[in-house]
Amino acid sequence: EVQLVESGGGLIQPGRSLRLSCTSSGFTFGDYVMTWVRQAPGKGLEWIGFIRSKTYGGTTEYAASVKGRFSISRDDSKSIAYLQMNSLKTEDTGVYYCNGRQSTGYWTKDYWGQGTLVTVSS
Amino acid sequence: DIVMTQSPLSLSVTPGEPASISCMSSQSLLHKNGYNYVDWYLQKPGQSPQLLIYLGSNRASGAPDRFSGSGSGTDFTLKISRVEAEDVGVYYCMSAAQTRTFGQGTKLEIK
């Protein structure tokens, strides 16, 4: 069974740092692009960024809104993706989802976690 | 950055009737390889998003065949041939270019 479980969320003060984890199982983690997406309360989805598989260099891309403050990394030996969030702002409040995706010329596999809530407030 | 604009933002549909959602991109999503880099997701109430359509027109594994995607370049459409009660939720298009962008979402409810 495929599982992605986000953890590390909670209440955090503005300006502080927080690291989220996405612990995965049931698929070949190292072959997947790992993406983070967030959703502010009552709002739509916002793409944060992703990290490519090592096959494609393990490089990262970020949304302009978080570039320089957030960073994504992966530990393929543990099947975990991380989202390091620095200098947090109140507008970073929301549910943070991780997504794993693998695409070939013939199919795409796409998996999501249930999300973890981050509340940035003093 | 690419901007994705969906319309309508909400729609109410009678079960068994068709539904259509439009998504316009501020830049062409047609790659030189011939694929359109746009996906469609459904987020059901209280759930995580689920992939319905990838590369513009390819149905994801597990997505019912009443869902179809079409379009090219900057104009894309998600169609539901016959809406069912389980289709309620918010539909998002997403540019799948180097950096991703979601549309604002379209809320579908059942009449």
Side-chain angles (χ1 to χ4, degrees):
Chain A
E1 180 192 7
V2 170
Q3 282 195 312
L4 289 84
V5 179
E6 300 93 340
S7 60
L11 176 63
I12 188 85
Q13 292 178 326
R16 301 291 294 269
S17 297
L18 195 64
R19 189 178 78 163
L20 305 182
S21 300
C22 173
T23 303
S24 307
S25 61
F27 62 97
T28 308
F29 180 85
D31 291 341
Y32 280 63
V33 174
M34 299 303 297
T35 297
W36 287 92
V37 170
R38 68 183 178 185
Q39 188 167 35
K43 301 298 185 182
L45 302 174
E46 180 186 8
W47 178 80
I48 295 173
F50 64 74
I51 184 166
R52 297 178 176 87
S53 67
K54 292 288 195 297
T55 300
Y56 292 93
T59 52
T60 53
E61 304 289 345
Y62 299 98
S65 59
V66 303
K67 199 168 186 178
R69 291 193 303 127
F70 290 11
S71 63
I72 298 171
S73 59
R74 62 191 301 155
D75 185 337
D76 290 353
S77 69
K78 297 180 179 178
S79 297
I80 300 177
Y82 300 100
L83 176 64
Q84 177 68 43
M85 304 185 292
N86 299 328
S87 304
L88 282 162
K89 307 175 182 181
T90 55
E91 53 263 41
D92 295 319
T93 293
V95 175
Y96 284 69
Y97 296 100
C98 72
N99 162 265
R101 182 162 179 164
Q102 183 185 24
S103 296
T104 71
Y106 304 99
W107 45 261
T108 290
K109 296 182 180 178
D110 190 89
Y111 306 123
W112 290 78
Q114 288 305 303
T116 186
L117 176 63
V118 173
T119 304
V120 184
S121 174
S122 55
Chain B
D1 286 357
I2 295 174
V3 177
M4 305 292 280
T5 304
Q6 291 182 228
S7 63
L9 297 184
S10 66
L11 69 166
S12 182
V13 184
T14 301
E17 293 297 305
S20 179
I21 299 170
S22 173
C23 180
M24 294 184 61
S25 170
S26 62
Q27 299 178 30
S28 176
L29 298 178
L30 176 61
H31 193 274
K32 58 185 178 182
N33 62 13
Y35 290 112
N36 283 283
Y37 280 73
V38 64
D39 298 338
W40 289 93
Y41 286 91
L42 165 61
Q43 187 176 30
K44 296 183 178 181
Q47 296 187 17
S48 305
Q50 59 188 84
L51 181 66
L52 293 174
I53 301 290
Y54 64 95
L55 294 177
S57 61
N58 295 277
R59 197 177 306 112
S61 174
D65 60 9
R66 62 181 178 275
F67 291 95
S68 64
S70 63
S72 185
T74 60
D75 294 345
F76 301 93
T77 302
L78 176 71
K79 293 183 179 177
I80 310 173
S81 59
R82 295 174 305 279
V83 170
E84 297 188 5
E86 66 179 23
D87 299 335
V88 297
V90 182
Y91 291 80
Y92 296 91
C93 60
M94 185 192 77
S95 72
Q98 182 159 325
T99 59
R100 292 16 176 177
T101 308
F102 286 98
Q104 318 98 300
T106 296
K107 186 174 184 178
L108 184 147
E109 63 176 25
I110 300 297
K111 278 185 184 176

